[in-house]
């Protein structure tokens, strides 16, 4: 009993890639070699503009303590975020620790 036609998905999304694969296989073409990408350290430096991502590293120890003290005292998180150049979410994460 042949079940291949009963379970075959004939939509264009499935058949088009299959036809391309069959063409590559039948042509005997060598598969494209993977080119090594940039190293993780290069990507991290590029995404951070050379800055550390940890807030403790971006702020001076004194500024860090003043920020925590002010946030715990109830100062506006939005104003503190603007003053220290960080996001409100970062302030809430610091308070959760």
């Amino acid at each position: 009993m042949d079940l291949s036609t009963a379970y075959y998905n004939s939509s264009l999304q499935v058949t088009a890639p299959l036809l391309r694969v069959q063409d590559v296989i039948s042509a005997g073409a060598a598969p494209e070699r993977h080119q090594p990408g940039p190293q993780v350290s290069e990507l991290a430096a590029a995404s951070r503009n050379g800055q550390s991502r940890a807030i403790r590293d971006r702020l001076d120890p004194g500024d860090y303590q003043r920020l925590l003290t002010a946030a715990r005292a109830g100062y506006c998180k939005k104003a503190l975020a603007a003053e220290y150049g960080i996001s409100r979410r970062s302030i809430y994460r610091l308070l959760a620790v």
Side-chain angles (χ1 to χ4, degrees):
M1 174 186 256
D2 183 24
L3 297 177
S4 63
T5 56
Y7 294 101
Y8 182 70
N9 186 350
S10 62
S11 73
L12 186 59
Q13 292 176 339
V14 174
T15 56
L18 287 176
L19 291 174
R20 282 192 298 251
V21 169
Q22 288 172 347
D23 289 343
V24 169
I25 291 172
S26 65
E32 294 180 15
R33 297 287 178 189
H34 174 70
Q35 298 296 324
Q39 298 296 319
V40 173
S41 59
E42 295 170 9
L43 292 174
S47 66
R48 295 186 228 154
N49 299 325
Q51 266 190 345
S52 174
R53 293 187 60 160
I55 298 206
R56 291 184 180 120
D57 295 339
R58 285 189 277 160
L59 297 175
D60 293 330
D63 287 342
Y64 177 74
Q65 288 302 321
R66 282 191 290 280
L67 171 66
L68 284 180
T69 304
R72 288 181 180 138
Y75 282 90
C76 177
K77 309 300 186 282
K78 186 175 181 178
L80 288 172
E83 180 181 343
Y84 288 97
I86 60 176
S87 67
R88 284 186 313 157
R89 177 148 174 91
S90 295
I91 294 174
Y92 285 108
R93 272 186 292 195
L94 288 174
L95 292 173
V97 173

